[in-house]
Amino acid sequence: MEKICLQVCLIKMKITNKIIENHGLKLEEYENIKKLLKREPNFLELGIFSAMWNEHCSYKSSRIHLKKLPTKGKHVIQGPGENAGVIDIGDDDAIIFKIESHNHPSYIEPYQGAATGVGGILRDVFTMGARPIALLNSIHFGSPTHFKTKSLLNGVVSGIGGYGNCIGIPTVAGETKFNETYNENILVNAMAVGHAKKDKIFYSKAKGLNKSVVYVGSKTGRDGIHGASMASAEFDDNSDEKKPTVQVGDPFTEKLLMEACLELMKDNSIISIQDMGAAGLTSSSVEMASKGELGIELELDKVPCREENMSPYEMMLSESQERMLIILEDGKEEHAKKIFDKWDLDFVVIGKTTSTNNLTLKFNKKIQGEIPIEALASKAPIYDRKWTKKIIQKKKINLKDLKKIKLEDALIKILSSPNHSNKSWVTNQYDQSVMCDTVQKSGSDAAIIRIHNKDKAIAVSVDSSANYCKSHPVTGGKQIVCENWRNLITVGAKPLAITNCLNFGNPENKEIMGEFAECLEGIKEACEFLSYPVVSGNVSFYNGTNKKNIYPTPVIGGVGLIKKLSKPISHNFKKKKSNIILIGKTFGHLEQSCFLKENYSIIEGMPPEINLLNEKNNGECLLKLIDKNLILSAHDISSGGLITALAEMSMNSQYGAKILKPKKLTNLFEYFFGEDQARYVVEIDTNNLPKVKKILKDGNIYFEEIGITQEDKFEIEGEFNISIKELFEINNEWYNNF
């Protein structure tokens, strides 16, 4: 009786302006809800609208801009709109992949926030019928001197490793960056990649009437309630109070759930399937019904709960992990139940599909909530927010005005900085080789994963460049797509498609919205020119605390195909006395460079210009050289310029390099530290040099012969030489003292 009275009180609770505000809704949005319902919502219905209309689920501020991105292509099977994107890699094989943010939860509770971010993105992939084969991440922290950074870093890395290692999926690549812009709002973006057969891909669209709606997986608890709404609001000084909104993950249960789902997917039992991620049971049921233009009726008494006296409100909004919603074909219930019983997981028919086009919620045999599906989905708010164009700083840095430093000292400063230091202390906490198909792991431009029992492979990489995006969003958006594209090229992969995680500040701020719109314009332009479509992704707004917004940080995750895996290409030098060639023209662009930031604390001016034609031509020509087995090693040039790329190639091998002084640019700092784009360093066997030069000349590709490899020493002609051992020690210096 006490339980029933509690439910009645909650349902009949008077809705005040304060309650509306606490649910993350604007008063005008509440008025719109009343119009759609033609009545006042009850407390349960208000919670459901809050979940579905928040930024995280509805994309209400970003949708009009996202529509501009290219999403179709020769290899695309499924673009945005499903749990993950799907591409065709030939031989009836498909790759399913997506990246998502778990920023706010990871700041509040680093271990569980990062861990459940991994768990959530894995479910997005295996929900579609794919066995996950790789995990990646892009993690951004505040200044290393900030009092929270060390504990946040340790918690996040432990959470990523803890979940991925336990479930048995290799974490093969990623990036770890530091910048004071993330002091009060770290970024934790997780990417998962899976392999499936083209004829065994599963979707979330509901079909048919009176079909069983089945709850499978873990029991529902009170963890994670309003997690999606929390992710759609800025932090303030009371952010620690939001810990109850962070989900708690169990990788061992997720492993059981994955195996049970994949086993059931072997026959024709499943009509549709959807994981319970953000907004839990609410979003999964609404999304299935909306895509199928059907209604769904749920009997909440039947929801398996791990806590006593849970209300319908709590059941619908809980974001407890390791749960799925499945719609089954008629007569398949017993068959499916046996599978989930075998894996020791809950399996309960909690509802059915209907012709009402409503979400109908029953509890104690009474209707506690009834909402038109379209009111939650297609009629959710869409905002064309006002935005302003970025005011560009076109300041040109004059090196003559700066304190003179030595070339060697400038390089040491970069290699010993937090962002360029050796990150093996992070990656060593991840199992990178489990499943035995990791051909090339963290440390190269891209990781390589063999398609099991085949001689082909995929390459994967994640990249971001917040400084460039802050200084000139359009150029920054283009640059990060191009860098990701280059990273796949350097390992011999043909880039096929990307997923993106768009991390920005408050979209209600015109300047922030402008950064978003312009970054997307740059991403769109580069993707279209390179035939590199966007097949999935995520938008994370409201990254900031007390009105201090992060730098615009779009993260690009790319997938490429290696049709025949013979000898993988990496960026470490392979032998001595081979030739080193620079592909692409150097102009000596230093504005927004790592050189100025690390040596002079200068972050000013424009990022380097992006010439998309050069990017395309230079990259495709390099891919041709790799296909012809004419390249020993390759590395793209990005942050830190040519000299940093050469040092990285040396440190990752037992061979150094003797590099000649430039013939054209007289300023050595511009030449060696300039961050001009569309450039690569390649190592070539002397015997193959004539063939390589001919192909480059025939392709009208600019190149320079810049040096040779040698034993042990990294040398710039007439300037300095340093042992590889010393370089390595310098590169590890920051972490050893952190």
Side-chain angles (χ1 to χ4, degrees):
M1 181 60 75
E2 185 182 335
K3 178 181 175 184
I4 293 172
C5 289
L6 176 64
Q7 312 306 335
V8 171
C9 289
L10 284 172
I11 296 297
K12 293 187 174 181
M13 182 184 291
K14 181 175 172 57
I15 294 173
T16 64
N17 287 355
K18 186 66 177 175
I19 288 175
I20 294 167
E21 182 187 333
N22 288 342
H23 279 77
L25 291 165
K26 309 284 187 190
L27 292 179
E28 56 267 30
E29 290 177 335
Y30 183 71
E31 291 301 316
N32 193 20
I33 289 169
K34 290 197 296 184
K35 287 178 184 176
L36 289 167
L37 291 178
K38 299 177 181 176
R39 58 177 172 82
E40 295 267 354
N42 62 37
F43 189 69
L44 170 61
E45 292 167 335
L46 180 71
I48 288 169
F49 272 105
S50 165
M52 294 305 300
W53 281 22
N54 65 52
E55 199 71 59
H56 191 81
C57 293
S58 73
Y59 292 82
K60 57 189 177 186
S61 298
S62 58
R63 208 181 303 177
I64 63 168
H65 297 282
L66 294 172
K67 286 180 178 178
K68 300 173 185 176
L69 294 174
T71 59
K72 297 180 179 178
K74 174 181 173 184
H75 298 276
V76 177
I77 296 173
Q78 174 65 54
E82 270 292 341
N83 287 293
V86 187
I87 58 173
D88 186 346
I89 61 167
D91 307 314
D92 294 322
D93 292 314
I95 294 295
I96 298 175
F97 64 105
K98 189 182 183 182
I99 189 169
E100 275 201 341
S101 62
H102 231 222
N103 304 335
H104 288 57
S106 299
Y107 182 74
I108 297 168
E109 186 62 57
Y111 184 95
Q112 288 296 348
T116 52
V118 173
I121 199 64
L122 282 171
R123 288 195 302 279
D124 280 339
V125 166
F126 73 74
T127 298
M128 297 194 69
R131 179 168 292 280
I133 58 175
L135 287 163
L136 301 87
N137 57 74
S138 173
I139 51 180
H140 293 68
F141 299 91
S143 167
T145 59
H146 191 269
F147 72 99
K148 285 187 178 181
T149 296
K150 198 166 191 174
S151 64
L152 288 169
L153 175 66
N154 289 336
V156 166
V157 171
S158 296
I160 291 170
Y163 206 101
N165 296 351
C166 288
I167 198 172
I169 310 295
T171 302
V172 299
E175 57 175 8
T176 303
K177 293 186 174 183
F178 301 88
N179 190 304
E180 64 182 13
T181 188
Y182 311 108
N183 278 350
E184 305 297 335
N185 197 122
I186 63 173
L187 302 183
V188 177
N189 294 179
M191 178 176 169
V193 183
H195 170 240
K197 289 296 180 181
K198 285 194 315 185
D199 62 347
K200 281 292 183 181
I201 296 169
F202 292 80
Y203 300 94
S204 57
K205 180 179 178 180
K207 296 177 185 177
L209 298 178
N210 295 312
K211 303 294 184 182
S212 294
V213 178
V214 185
Y215 174 118
V216 301
S218 286
K219 288 179 169 54
T220 295
R222 290 188 170 97
D223 56 314
I225 293 173
H226 285 301
S229 298
M230 179 268 292
S232 303
E234 285 185 319
F235 283 145
D236 55 29
D237 294 329
N238 301 313
S239 60
D240 281 348
E241 295 175 6
K242 297 178 179 179
K243 281 190 178 183
T245 65
V246 179
Q247 310 91 335
V248 178
D250 179 357
F252 299 105
T253 300
E254 179 115 330
K255 171 67 172 174
L256 300 178
L257 180 62
M258 178 177 71
E259 297 300 340
C261 288
L262 292 175
E263 183 175 341
L264 183 60
M265 288 167 172
K266 290 178 180 177
D267 57 38
N268 297 315
S269 300
I270 296 175
I271 294 174
S272 63
I273 181 169
Q274 177 73 39
D275 84 294
M276 295 191 214
L281 185 53
T282 290
S283 63
S284 56
S285 55
V286 170
E287 287 173 16
M288 293 170 94
S290 173
K291 290 172 183 175
E293 298 181 348
L294 296 170
I296 279 187
E297 180 181 293
L298 300 178
E299 296 181 58
L300 298 180
D301 308 77
K302 296 180 179 180
V303 172
C305 295
R306 66 169 181 260
E307 299 180 51
E308 292 184 358
N309 298 329
M310 287 190 67
S311 69
Y313 182 96
E314 292 170 322
M315 292 178 201
M316 291 301 296
L317 297 181
S318 168
E319 295 184 9
S320 295
Q321 298 290 284
E322 295 86 39
R323 302 179 301 157
M324 294 281 192
L325 206 60
I326 301 175
I327 296 176
L328 290 174
E329 293 283 3
D330 292 339
K332 295 291 185 178
E333 293 86 354
E334 270 313 303
H335 165 68
K337 188 175 186 306
K338 284 180 182 178
I339 292 173
F340 284 87
D341 285 348
K342 182 181 76 172
W343 292 100
D344 198 24
L345 296 165
D346 279 295
F347 178 101
V348 184
V349 177
I350 64 167
K352 63 182 180 181
T353 59
T354 70
S355 61
T356 64
N357 294 105
N358 291 338
L359 175 66
T360 305
L361 304 174
K362 289 184 175 181
F363 191 78
N364 293 326
K365 298 181 180 180
K366 293 182 179 178
I367 293 177
Q368 307 289 345
E370 188 150 28
I371 308 172
I373 292 290
E374 64 176 7
L376 296 168
S378 61
K379 291 193 176 179
I382 298 177
Y383 296 133
D384 186 2
R385 296 197 184 275
K386 293 181 179 177
W387 60 276
T388 57
K389 289 183 79 69
K390 180 77 175 181
I391 298 172
I392 306 302
Q393 299 180 20
K394 292 189 176 180
K395 186 175 180 179
K396 183 76 174 174
I397 305 297
N398 190 342
L399 291 177
K400 293 179 181 178
D401 297 335
L402 302 176
K403 180 183 176 182
K404 289 185 178 179
I405 56 175
K406 294 180 179 178
L407 202 70
E408 181 182 4
D409 293 341
L411 174 63
I412 288 172
K413 193 82 171 179
I414 291 173
L415 294 181
S416 60
S417 68
N419 284 321
H420 284 82
S421 69
N422 186 340
K423 299 298 191 305
S424 59
W425 51 273
V426 171
T427 58
N428 286 345
Q429 297 184 55
Y430 308 147
D431 190 333
Q432 300 182 66
S433 302
V434 64
M435 299 177 72
C436 301
D437 283 318
T438 307
V439 176
Q440 191 157 280
K441 50 192 181 183
S442 309
S444 287
D445 291 326
I448 300 174
I449 304 98
R450 181 186 289 106
I451 302 302
H452 197 62
N453 289 331
K454 296 190 177 182
D455 63 353
K456 66 180 179 183
I458 58 166
V460 290
S461 180
V462 291
D463 300 279
S464 63
S465 186
N467 278 356
Y468 286 0
C469 291
K470 183 66 177 176
S471 63
H472 194 281
V474 175
T475 301
K478 284 195 281 188
Q479 188 274 337
I480 200 59
V481 172
C482 292
E483 183 175 344
N484 183 267
W485 196 79
R486 291 198 301 271
N487 282 336
L488 299 180
I489 293 280
T490 57
V491 299
K494 177 178 172 57
L496 298 184
I498 69 168
T499 181
N500 57 39
C501 195
L502 307 172
N503 306 277
F504 289 78
N506 190 334
E508 297 166 56
N509 179 309
K510 291 190 291 186
E511 286 74 25
I512 302 298
M513 200 63 214
E515 290 174 348
F516 180 80
E518 292 193 283
C519 271
L520 252 70
E521 182 57 39
I523 292 171
K524 168 183 174 290
E525 191 177 333
C527 286
E528 286 180 341
F529 196 93
L530 299 174
S531 301
Y532 202 26
V534 182
V535 297
S536 60
N538 169 233
V539 177
S540 177
F541 278 134
Y542 296 98
N543 289 291
T545 298
N546 293 329
K547 310 299 181 184
K548 293 181 180 177
N549 294 286
I550 66 163
Y551 280 7
T553 314
V555 176
I556 302 296
V559 176
L561 176 64
I562 302 173
K563 285 186 178 180
K564 193 169 180 64
L565 186 63
S566 51
K567 187 170 70 174
I569 301 293
S570 62
H571 74 275
N572 55 302
F573 290 132
K574 300 298 187 296
K575 55 187 289 189
K576 66 177 180 179
K577 294 186 178 179
S578 50
N579 292 85
I580 303 171
I581 283 184
L582 168 63
I583 294 175
K585 193 168 284 188
T586 300
F587 299 97
H589 187 98
L590 285 178
E591 283 70 42
Q592 293 295 331
S593 69
C594 180
F595 166 75
L596 289 178
K597 180 178 182 294
E598 298 299 342
N599 288 281
Y600 297 100
S601 299
I602 294 174
I603 310 171
E604 293 179 5
M606 290 277 289
E609 181 186 347
I610 307 297
N611 185 314
L612 291 172
L613 183 61
N614 286 346
E615 288 282 5
K616 188 174 177 34
N617 289 345
N618 292 357
E620 288 181 347
C621 191
L622 175 56
L623 199 57
K624 185 186 292 183
L625 293 171
I626 293 172
D627 287 343
K628 292 180 179 292
N629 295 314
L630 297 173
I631 301 296
L632 293 172
S633 64
H635 194 13
D636 90 302
I637 299 173
S638 53
S639 178
L642 171 62
I643 195 170
T644 305
L646 289 163
E648 289 170 346
M649 295 176 83
S650 296
M651 287 187 295
N652 282 282
S653 70
Q654 56 183 321
Y655 302 105
K658 183 176 183 177
I659 305 301
L660 305 172
K661 284 185 178 179
K663 296 176 182 177
K664 294 185 179 180
L665 278 180
T666 54
N667 189 294
L668 293 183
F669 293 93
E670 290 180 346
Y671 181 80
F672 283 113
F673 293 102
E675 295 184 7
D676 307 290
Q677 302 291 291
R679 295 186 301 158
Y680 305 85
V681 179
V682 296
E683 178 193 7
I684 298 161
D685 188 291
T686 303
N687 295 327
N688 290 327
L689 186 60
K691 293 178 186 176
V692 171
K693 289 168 69 173
K694 184 178 187 308
I695 291 171
L696 290 169
K697 287 176 181 176
D698 289 347
N700 200 28
I701 305 298
Y702 182 89
F703 70 94
E704 299 174 31
E705 296 178 61
I706 62 171
I708 58 170
T709 58
Q710 60 182 8
E711 287 186 354
D712 190 45
K713 294 286 185 182
F714 182 73
E715 178 182 355
I716 305 296
E717 181 189 30
E719 292 295 320
F720 71 87
N721 70 75
I722 187 169
S723 72
I724 304 303
K725 182 182 177 184
E726 192 176 348
L727 270 183
F728 188 80
E729 288 172 351
I730 290 165
N731 199 222
N732 282 274
E733 185 178 306
W734 175 78
Y735 175 69
N736 291 337
N737 296 321
F738 182 50

